[in-house]
Amino acid sequence: MKSLKEKALEIAEIVKDLKGGDVAVIDVSKLNSWTDYFVIVTVNSSVHSQGLYKAVKDYVKANDLEIHVPNRKTPDGDDWNLMDIGPIVVHLMSEEARNFYDLEKLWNGGERLM
């Protein structure tokens, strides 16, 4: 059985193989109670983001994980697509959004695994 850390790293490798840019995996388990790992990826376009989303969704289905869909309606945007997989949160971000929100700096207390 794979650990959550292994699953987060596998998701990172999948998006990296599909040309996701500057892939980061951060262990945030000691910093909060609602998730354990962030996978942060820079995407080139909305089409690129959709392709990565589908690849991660396929991985989730094949590995006994579940995507949690928010109860509220959120507008679809090209800048930041968040996938809440419970213990793993995947951030598919445009370069502009990634620079603006700077999640790596915000969560710098976490251990960077990739």
Side-chain angles (χ1 to χ4, degrees), residues 3-73:
S3 69
L4 289 173
K5 179 179 179 179
E6 290 171 319
K7 290 178 181 181
L9 291 169
E10 285 180 350
I11 289 170
E13 287 299 328
I14 288 168
V15 295
K16 193 174 182 182
D17 289 347
L18 295 172
K19 308 299 182 207
D22 194 19
V23 179
V25 179
I26 303 172
D27 180 344
V28 294
S29 60
K30 293 181 176 92
L31 304 176
N32 68 73
S33 61
W34 49 271
T35 195
D36 295 322
Y37 298 95
F38 280 170
V39 178
I40 306 169
V41 186
T42 301
V43 298
N44 300 322
S45 66
S46 61
V47 173
H48 188 215
S49 180
Q50 291 168 7
L52 295 181
Y53 187 97
K54 183 184 180 321
V56 173
K57 185 176 175 182
D58 291 344
Y59 178 87
V60 165
K61 286 181 184 179
N63 285 276
D64 298 322
L65 295 168
E66 179 182 344
I67 296 174
H68 303 281
V69 180
N71 291 331
R72 58 188 169 86
K73 177 67 179 149

Side-chain angles (χ1 to χ4, degrees), residues 66-108:
E66 179 182 344
I67 296 174
H68 303 281
V69 180
N71 291 331
R72 58 188 169 86
K73 177 67 179 149
T74 56
D76 294 331
D78 292 340
D79 287 336
W80 190 351
N81 195 350
L82 184 133
M83 299 178 74
D84 179 358
I85 307 169
I88 302 167
V89 177
V90 180
H91 303 269
L92 304 172
M93 306 176 81
S94 70
E95 186 173 353
E96 295 79 19
R98 189 156 178 185
N99 290 335
F100 181 79
Y101 292 104
D102 200 3
L103 296 180
E104 288 95 336
K105 183 176 179 183
L106 185 64
W107 292 92
N108 69 349

